[in-house]
Amino acid sequence: WSLRLVALEPELRRVADHAELLARQLGKRVRVVIDAGNAQLERSLVERLHEPILHLVNNAIDHGIEPPHARGDKPSEATLTLVARSIGRELELVIADDGRGVDLEQVRTRARERGLVPAAVAATLPPAELHELLFAPGFSTAAQVGELSGRGVGLGVVRHVVQSLGGTVELEASAGVGTRFRVRVPGTLSREAVIVV
């Protein structure tokens, strides 16, 4: 069983390198902080979580973190935090940034335009329900289609993959303060069929 498990930190380091490179390409300054402790996952789980983690990091760099001149009173260098913790038989992964948060009015507008909710309902939806709309299949707040955004491949894909592993993904965001994604998955998926003689 121990041979099936691998440390999650090397994967997070690879993702951090990608995040720093992407930020430079977009003219943003980002410091990535990793806190993985001794968190371990089955190797197959790490491989299947690679794309969802990458998508959440791309989302943070592209949508959440502002360029240095637009960060106001915050440090010009943004912080992206990747935290992994083993909690019982589960692993919790938190991806958080100190960017602009979620523009709730933009989410309301897109939800009305796409017919996800009636206009009267959209106007009264609380923040938690607006955050849930971001996970709707194909939902995007991007104004233009680019390499990272606006292609209709959004957070719904992340949630689908995580749920297929028996896990959950949640979003917390505060305007101007930042966004936090919390992903929880089982630490192992493999099962062995045995017969004792």
Side-chain angles (χ1 to χ4, degrees):
W1 281 108
S2 64
L3 290 175
R4 296 177 188 268
L5 299 177
V6 295
L8 192 57
E9 185 165 354
E11 171 67 15
L12 297 185
R13 296 252 170 238
R14 284 191 290 274
V15 170
D17 291 342
H18 165 79
E20 290 168 353
L21 176 61
L22 178 61
R24 284 196 297 274
Q25 291 172 349
L26 296 176
K28 301 178 180 183
R29 296 181 58 207
V30 177
R31 179 175 66 98
V32 182
V33 177
I34 297 174
D35 179 5
N38 295 318
Q40 293 183 313
L41 269 181
E42 224 175 73
R43 188 181 306 279
S44 62
L45 271 170
V46 174
E47 292 167 358
R48 291 169 70 181
L49 280 175
H50 175 76
E51 285 301 323
I53 293 171
L54 204 60
H55 188 93
L56 293 178
V57 167
N58 286 344
N59 201 63
I61 302 293
D62 191 29
H63 287 295
I65 291 171
E66 317 94 330
H69 68 272
R71 286 182 54 80
D73 296 334
K74 295 185 285 190
S76 61
E77 182 180 60
T79 301
L80 176 66
T81 307
L82 309 175
V83 179
R85 289 279 178 272
S86 293
I87 302 174
R89 293 177 178 236
E90 292 187 321
L91 179 120
E92 181 178 82
L93 176 65
V94 175
I95 299 170
D97 67 74
D98 65 349
R100 62 174 59 96
V102 174
D103 185 338
L104 297 179
E105 292 312 308
Q106 191 179 32
V107 176
R108 284 184 212 278
T109 302
R110 290 284 190 274
R112 283 196 302 266
E113 291 172 354
R114 294 209 42 219
L116 293 176
V117 289
V121 174
T124 61
L125 283 178
E129 291 187 39
L130 288 169
H131 291 162
E132 277 299 303
L133 287 176
L134 293 171
F135 292 98
F139 190 92
S140 176
T141 58
Q144 299 177 5
V145 176
E147 188 176 338
L148 295 174
S149 306
R151 294 170 297 148
V153 183
L155 296 176
V157 172
V158 172
R159 177 167 277 177
H160 174 74
V161 172
V162 171
Q163 286 180 338
S164 74
L165 299 175
T168 60
V169 56
E170 299 171 356
L171 163 64
E172 303 164 15
S174 301
V177 177
T179 306
R180 175 187 304 266
F181 286 94
R182 191 181 305 275
V183 177
R184 291 188 77 152
V185 292
T188 59
L189 284 183
S190 296
R191 297 287 182 271
E192 295 293 345
V194 299
I195 182 167
V196 179
V197 180

